[in-house]
Amino acid sequence: MDRIRIRGGRRLKGEIPISGAKNSALKLMAAALLTDEPVVLRNVPRLADIAAMSDLLMQFGVNLNIRRGEKLGQGDVVRLHAAHIESAFAPYDIVRKMRASFQVLGPLLARHGEAKISLPGGCAIGARPVDYHLKGFEALGAEIELADGYVLARAKGGLKGTTFELPFASVGATENLMTGAVLANGRTVLKNTAREPETQDLGHFLIAMGAKISGLGTNEIVIDGVEKLSGVEYAVMPDRIETGTYALATAIAGGEVELVGAQVEAIGALIELLEKTGADVKQTNRGVMVHRNGARPRAADVTTSVFPGFPTDLQAQYMALMATAEGSSHIRETVFENRFMHVPELARMGADIHVHGDVATVNGVATLKGAPVMATDLRASVSLVLAGLAAEGETIVNRVYHLDRGFERLEEKLSAVGADIERLST
Ligand code: EPZ
């Protein structure tokens, strides 16, 4: 199994190209099920999760071709053609490995009238139920049955427009319901919806296919169902979590890195926080420049929340920065109930962190020490890579398959800016 070796202490300098957003690309691919015409997606990142979604869609009868981007950060071009839907069955083995598979429910119900999708179950970061998705589809007129770990959903006469208020602004439920409602009969009003940039990207993609949607980026989305959607060519938005991760890497290691292609408006909460810790962040005509001089970062508190708040997907990486900061900070996680698995691993590297309920208190230390570590999810794993950049000596990050799910060519991107990092294949 591959491992990543980092020898800490190098400052970073240069540029990193930002890839397309995993959490947008996966949903756009699922939404290609909504039309019998070809859909072409550009700027698709090369990741294990994208390969898993491709396999699932091919099982439904989608014809899928990939043209590989050659340069670092260029992105693949993926052509998806769902001329006929041959099966609407998503087995446990796939959904268990990648929860985003559950996002095919909306498109399948809308286009095919039925689907059998495995319940995802819990995962390393929390219980993560799908009750809001199911209540929403029931409100849209679907019959939902749960049997043997599967959701059987039927909407034989088609979904019907309705008003539905989400109990929490869930990203996945907003997106799943949106992709169902675009072909429903009549008007759907979704209240308390997610405002995340990836949710907006999905909405813009659906509009480009002919959907009638208003209110994207607000907490009320109105969708007027249409008869049919058409094919489209569309570029996936840049990944704001990858952007934030490399911004934090620069703040941890010190140096100056331009994140080419990054969208500044998608990382507003992070920029504000980075500035409090002593880093400089500037918009450039190609993206964002992050700079930190030799001084130690300063401690600053943060609470994760829905967009435009500070994203839970950057909490572990920010904790790695705080682990080396001057002073103590409190990091509160409010989106997932169990997202501190990186704490014991950071402690192996000499970090001083205590967790009480949903708050981690981080007492910054002057130096972290390299160690063998591993993590159980993607963002936690990358936080250990970031800590390794600042640590004295050698850090080996095990279970690299987590990183491969969500960070395209991570070691190449970091070594291009001067980090001493390599993949060890065993
Ligand atoms: C998306 O997950 C992302 N995944 C996550 O990124 C991200 O952390 C999360 O949004 C929050 O921003 C993808 O886009 C593929 P939610 P999602 O529904 O949609 C509870 C990564 O590392 N909830 O907004 O699953 C839920 O348990 C991943 O790339 C219910 O209770 O997140 C959680 O506590 C990790 N019932 C909260 O809401 C439901 O029916 C937010 O979940 C749905 C959600």
Side-chain angles (χ1 to χ4, degrees):
M1 215 181 282
D2 287 3
R3 292 166 301 153
I4 299 264
R5 177 171 64 200
I6 306 125
R7 294 193 180 104
R10 298 266 199 105
R11 292 170 73 74
L12 307 182
K13 186 155 183 52
E15 57 183 64
I16 297 180
I18 298 303
S19 298
K22 166 181 84 88
N23 288 347
S24 172
L26 289 169
K27 322 302 173 58
L28 304 190
M29 290 173 75
L33 289 165
L34 286 164
T35 175
D36 59 5
E37 295 178 18
V39 167
V40 176
L41 295 177
R42 287 183 281 115
N43 202 30
V44 177
R46 199 175 311 167
L47 298 170
D49 275 11
I50 298 290
M53 181 60 88
S54 303
D55 289 345
L56 179 63
L57 294 176
M58 286 191 286
Q59 288 193 20
F60 299 151
V62 176
N63 186 301
L64 190 142
N65 301 291
I66 302 183
R67 201 172 74 233
R68 296 287 182 203
E70 272 157 33
K71 284 206 328 245
L72 196 58
Q74 192 175 33
D76 293 343
V77 178
V78 180
R79 184 180 185 276
L80 305 108
H81 191 189
H84 307 284
I85 292 182
E86 284 155 18
S87 145
F89 173 58
Y92 176 61
D93 254 9
I94 295 188
V95 184
R96 163 179 76 85
K97 285 194 209 124
M98 189 187 57
R99 300 179 52 87
S101 313
F102 200 73
Q103 300 302 127
V104 298
L105 181 55
L108 286 175
L109 262 184
R111 165 107 182 268
H112 191 64
E114 63 176 10
K116 181 175 177 184
I117 317 281
S118 170
L119 283 164
C123 73
I125 62 175
R128 299 183 79 182
V130 288
D131 49 338
Y132 310 156
H133 302 234
L134 300 182
K135 284 200 183 93
F137 284 117
E138 273 176 344
L140 280 159
E143 282 170 38
I144 305 280
E145 238 181 273
L146 298 183
D148 310 322
Y150 280 84
V151 176
L152 303 163
R154 275 184 213 92
K156 277 303 178 198
L159 292 167
K160 292 181 187 57
T162 188
T163 295
F164 178 71
E165 177 161 350
L166 288 143
F168 175 85
S170 152
V171 171
T174 302
E175 294 171 348
N176 224 344
L177 296 172
M178 198 158 79
T179 50
V182 283
L183 290 180
N185 211 334
R187 170 168 287 197
T188 300
V189 180
L190 297 176
K191 296 187 175 194
N192 194 24
T193 43
R195 290 182 283 166
E196 267 64 6
E198 297 78 12
T199 309
Q200 297 182 45
D201 204 32
L202 173 64
H204 293 304
F205 168 78
L206 294 167
I207 291 169
M209 292 171 85
K212 296 213 167 93
I213 304 176
S214 61
L216 292 171
T218 74
N219 53 14
E220 184 167 308
I221 298 179
V222 179
I223 304 158
D224 285 305
V226 295
E227 286 272 302
K228 201 175 168 342
L229 293 175
S230 55
V232 68
E233 182 165 344
Y234 191 87
V236 178
M237 67 172 282
D239 196 314
R240 71 188 163 107
I241 304 302
E242 191 197 29
T243 304
T245 300
Y246 291 128
L248 284 160
T250 310
I252 288 173
E256 187 169 62
V257 174
E258 186 175 16
L259 305 169
V260 177
Q263 275 177 358
V264 77
E265 51 294 356
I267 54 159
L270 173 68
I271 293 178
E272 219 174 276
L273 195 59
L274 275 173
E275 285 172 343
K276 280 195 203 160
T277 69
D280 289 325
V281 185
K282 276 199 307 277
Q283 186 166 7
T284 65
N285 53 11
R286 301 195 304 166
V288 174
M289 180 78 85
V290 184
H291 172 248
R292 185 174 70 76
N293 61 22
R296 241 174 108 186
R298 291 191 293 272
D301 296 347
V302 74
T303 297
T304 65
S305 66
V306 297
F307 190 82
F310 186 82
T312 172
D313 287 348
L314 288 175
Q315 180 256 109
Q317 300 90 312
Y318 182 69
M319 194 180 290
L321 176 67
M322 288 299 96
T324 63
E326 182 102 60
S328 298
S329 57
H330 298 289
I331 300 180
R332 168 169 274 135
E333 171 59 56
T334 69
V335 180
F336 290 107
E337 68 276 17
N338 182 27
R339 212 175 189 181
F340 285 138
M341 303 85 56
H342 39 286
V343 170
E345 298 300 304
L346 289 169
R348 290 171 51 73
M349 300 177 71
D352 178 3
I353 307 172
H354 303 272
V355 176
H356 295 286
D358 62 357
V359 178
T361 303
V362 188
N363 303 311
V365 295
T367 36
L368 293 173
K369 299 267 188 320
V373 286
M374 66 178 184
T376 41
D377 94 293
L378 147 75
R379 312 302 177 187
S381 296
V382 86
S383 77
L384 302 174
V385 173
L386 267 47
L389 296 174
E392 258 174 21
E394 188 175 281
T395 298
I396 304 273
V397 180
N398 293 289
R399 296 200 182 162
V400 167
Y401 56 85
H402 287 300
L403 292 170
D404 293 337
R405 290 188 57 181
F407 288 95
E408 185 178 48
R409 298 161 82 175
L410 170 93
E411 64 280 12
E412 280 178 65
K413 289 189 181 187
L414 283 172
S415 31
V417 291
D420 185 346
I421 176 168
E422 66 178 322
R423 180 180 290 252
L424 307 173
S425 300
T426 41

